[in-house]
Amino acid sequence: WLSLGFNVANVDDQSSSILSKIMIHGGRKGDNDDDEEWCSIVVHSTEEFAIRNSGVYGASSTAARVGGAATDASMENSLVEEMMAALGEVPGIPSTSSNNNSGDCSSSNIFNYGPALHRWGNAFPKGEPLREDIAFVPSSRIAFCGDYVASPERVRFGSFESALLSGTFAGEKISKYYNES
């Protein structure tokens, strides 16, 4: 996986009606060239696929763990298998036993963790983000941050990057405010 030569790949509509993006992150567990490599692969569904399957959250998702959302384990396994099969159809993607029609993905022994299904409620945001100029209100001693807040970096609204950057900018604004006071 690491030898594919990309960290993020958008999957076009012609290649898949199920997947929109493949993300690969990895490295070595230590500093030596002999150390074992690790790799994390995240596949994002299309908005249409997510909408069609909106009642399935994933047993380990925040919606299920914190919000108490019920999820159907058989539907969850079915969706994981469908997404893994779609991954196997993307040209140039390495083969795994779970995308070779060999059975239940959840029992595959080639993964140290996963595959796991997680639903992110704001993956396909609607509307406009909270403007950066009103995200910090020192008179009320409040700062807003999250994937719904705009940042000067102009990253995609609703992304992990926008959440991370808005938190960083909120911290910087608070620090600057108190250093100038």
Side-chain angles (χ1 to χ4, degrees), residues 45-65 68-83 115-121 123-124:
S45 78
T46 62
E47 183 173 8
E48 295 75 24
F49 184 80
I51 290 169
R52 278 195 317 268
N53 299 290
S54 61
V56 182
Y57 298 95
S60 60
S61 71
T62 302
R65 288 183 297 109
T71 187
D72 179 338
S74 64
M75 275 299 297
E76 182 177 340
N77 285 337
S78 175
L79 293 180
V80 168
E81 288 177 14
E82 197 172 347
M83 291 180 78
L117 181 70
H118 295 276
R119 176 170 292 280
W120 180 20
F124 307 105

Side-chain angles (χ1 to χ4, degrees), residues 3-37:
S3 66
L4 289 174
F6 68 86
N7 293 86
V8 179
N10 292 315
V11 180
D12 64 36
D13 295 346
Q14 307 302 324
S15 297
S16 179
S17 63
I18 295 173
L19 303 181
S20 65
K21 188 183 296 186
I22 302 167
M23 301 179 78
I24 300 172
H25 183 70
R28 295 206 177 274
K29 289 188 176 180
D31 295 332
N32 299 322
D33 287 341
D34 296 337
D35 290 335
E36 184 179 354
E37 286 188 327

